[in-house]
């Protein structure tokens, strides 16, 4: 239903339109208050790159963060990552995240980033606290924030926006009548636009998510998708249909597709009921980081890598490299 409203296919968005005007007025006032200096923002002592989006729901930010960290590492740069740690709750902040940190403390995305990049990662409700924590213990060239485009209390040197190329901006209105946190005109002030799927325009960087081999949660064994037994697919991400469509593009037809809310906290009993003895449960890598401690032998996940292309890509990497080198 929410997709129908936000896409404009359902007229119910008109009932929510007055609330959207209120949301837009508040969000515009917040941004203006930082631009005019009415509220104070903080500048970190090293460059900060924000990877965010304009819409609610999953657009593919975390794969972009992983790709960006690895691309900068390949250029000899030391990158750290900060996040709010949505879905996690720790007794103290900043929380320094490793591949072994419980997702109940840090949230799923920071743990996944730490596992894939081995980069220093810190979470805190206030991103400044996470940045200061990392810089107090690490010699870093750059900080990358996973989300936070609208967090204007933290100054940034570059802004990268990730767009869902299939859904784009729906009906174009602010929440709750539409999917927008900020209007599409905000793109005029960002440094790079990455389009996940669909058709990228001339000034945009095209992105595809390319799956690898399926990985068994319990044993670590890998296997091609077509060698797995009957599959029940599940996803608890911002936009579960993206995962199901990825499987279809790989020629996989699950016997069932189960969608959970983003950042859902799974239990062994809940997931074990999804499959029968001759079936396997296939999930996203983001889901898997929450399930390793109680995984069963027939549970698998599918890692994906972001592949970027397009004329603006080389210029973006060169610009970010120069930015980081200049701060050394």
């Amino acid at each position: 239903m929410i997709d129908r409203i936000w896409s404009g296919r359902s007229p119910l968005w008109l009932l929510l339109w007055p609330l959207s005007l209120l949301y837009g007025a508040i969000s515009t006032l917040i941004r203006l208050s930082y631009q005019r200096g009415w509220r104070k923002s903080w500048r970190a002592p090293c460059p900060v790159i924000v990877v965010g989006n304009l819409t609610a729901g999953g657009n593919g930010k975390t794969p972009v963060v992983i790709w960006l960290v690895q691309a900068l590492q390949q250029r000899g740069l030391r990158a750290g990552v900060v996040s709010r740690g949505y879905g996690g709750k720790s007794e103290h902040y900043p929380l320094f995240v490793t591949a072994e940190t419980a997702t109940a403390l840090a949230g799923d995305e920071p743990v996944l980033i730490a596992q894939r990049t081995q980069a220093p990662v810190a979470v805190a409700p206030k991103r400044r606290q996470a940045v200061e924590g990392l810089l107090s213990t690490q010699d870093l060239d750059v900080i990358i924030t996973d989300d936070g485009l609208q967090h204007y209390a933290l100054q940034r040197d570059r802004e990268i926006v990730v767009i869902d190329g299939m859904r784009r901006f729906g009906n174009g209105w602010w929440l709750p009548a539409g999917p927008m946190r900020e209007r599409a005109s905000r793109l005029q002030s960002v440094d790079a636009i990455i389009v996940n799927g669909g058709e990228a325009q001339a000034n945009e960087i095209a992105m595809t998510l390319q799956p690898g081999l399926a990985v068994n949660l319990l044993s670590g064994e890998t296997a091609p998708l077509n060698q797995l037994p009957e599959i029940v697919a599940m996803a608890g991400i911002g936009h579960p249909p993206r995962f199901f469509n990825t499987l279809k593009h790989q020629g996989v037809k699950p016997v069932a597709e189960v969608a959970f809310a983003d950042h859902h906290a799974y239990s062994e009993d809940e997931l074990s009921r999804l499959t029968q003895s001759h079936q396997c449960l296939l999930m996203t890598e983001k889901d898997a980081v929450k399930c390793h401690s109680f995984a069963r032998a027939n549970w698998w996940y599918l890692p994906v890598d972001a592949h970027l292309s397009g004329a603006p890509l080389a210029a973006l990497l060169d610009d970010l490299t120069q930015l980081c080198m200049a701060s050394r």
Side-chain angles (χ1 to χ4, degrees):
M1 174 59 75
I2 195 66
D3 283 340
R4 287 182 55 82
I5 293 174
W6 284 357
S7 68
R9 297 195 306 272
S10 169
L12 290 177
W13 74 269
L14 293 169
L15 298 178
L16 300 171
W17 183 63
L19 295 177
S20 286
L21 295 179
L22 178 61
Y23 182 99
I26 293 173
S27 108
T28 300
L29 182 60
I30 290 174
R31 187 181 180 206
L32 186 63
S33 69
Y34 284 106
Q35 289 177 332
R36 297 291 177 86
W38 303 334
R39 301 174 72 178
K40 299 298 182 183
S41 59
W42 179 73
R43 174 167 288 280
C46 76
V48 171
I49 303 169
V50 171
V51 178
N53 58 24
L54 299 184
T55 59
N59 289 353
K61 292 188 310 296
T62 300
V64 170
V65 170
I66 292 171
W67 167 85
L68 182 57
V69 170
Q70 292 174 336
L72 294 177
Q73 287 173 337
Q74 290 171 4
R75 295 186 171 213
L77 298 168
R78 298 158 297 189
V81 179
V82 300
S83 168
R84 284 186 60 205
Y86 187 85
K89 188 174 182 180
S90 175
E91 293 182 355
H92 66 276
Y93 291 102
L95 175 67
F96 299 105
V97 181
T98 69
E100 288 74 37
T101 302
T103 57
L105 298 177
D108 44 28
E109 289 160 348
V111 175
L112 175 57
I113 292 168
Q115 287 181 355
R116 290 292 297 270
T117 68
Q118 289 78 54
V121 179
V123 301
K126 295 182 178 179
R127 289 181 177 85
R128 172 178 177 174
Q129 191 178 7
V131 173
E132 290 179 324
L134 278 185
L135 295 179
S136 69
T137 60
Q138 303 283 338
D139 184 17
L140 299 174
D141 297 309
V142 63
I143 295 288
I144 299 169
T145 77
D146 182 16
D147 209 358
L149 186 67
Q150 291 79 33
H151 182 66
Y152 293 111
L154 177 63
Q155 294 185 32
R156 66 289 306 269
D157 298 271
R158 298 292 187 272
E159 294 178 327
I160 299 173
V161 168
V162 184
I163 297 173
D164 184 318
M166 303 303 294
R167 294 180 293 167
R168 285 278 173 170
F169 304 124
N171 61 16
W173 280 100
W174 290 293
L175 294 164
M180 307 301 291
R181 296 174 177 175
E182 295 181 279
R183 298 297 289 273
S185 58
R186 177 72 167 82
L187 293 177
Q188 298 172 10
S189 62
V190 306
D191 299 283
I193 303 168
I194 296 175
V195 178
N196 182 11
E199 294 292 330
Q201 300 175 9
N203 64 328
E204 299 172 340
I205 297 170
M207 168 180 159
T208 58
L209 293 176
Q210 298 190 4
L213 297 174
V215 182
N216 187 276
L217 270 73
L218 196 61
S219 67
E221 173 192 356
T222 61
L225 285 175
N226 59 13
Q227 292 184 10
L228 295 182
E230 195 172 85
I231 291 174
V232 173
M234 58 155 277
I237 57 178
H239 188 54
R242 180 182 294 116
F243 178 63
F244 303 142
N245 288 334
T246 295
L247 298 181
K248 292 173 184 175
H249 291 155
Q250 296 298 308
V252 175
K253 296 182 179 180
V255 295
E257 297 175 350
V258 184
F260 292 93
D262 197 12
H263 306 289
H264 182 76
Y266 299 108
S267 68
E268 180 180 4
D269 182 62
E270 175 183 43
L271 296 187
S272 63
R273 293 198 301 264
L274 297 180
T275 58
Q276 300 178 19
S277 59
H278 64 285
Q279 298 172 328
C280 72
L281 183 64
L282 181 64
M283 64 187 72
T284 73
E285 189 174 14
K286 177 179 167 180
D287 293 313
V289 299
K290 294 180 284 189
C291 303
H292 280 289
S293 63
F294 52 83
R296 295 196 172 186
N298 64 333
W299 293 5
W300 298 73
Y301 71 87
L302 183 66
V304 295
D305 290 309
H307 285 250
L308 279 64
S309 62
L313 179 58
L316 172 64
L317 286 174
D318 288 344
D319 173 59
L320 298 182
T321 302
Q322 293 172 10
L323 173 69
C324 298
M325 296 296 291
S327 70
R328 283 186 166 179

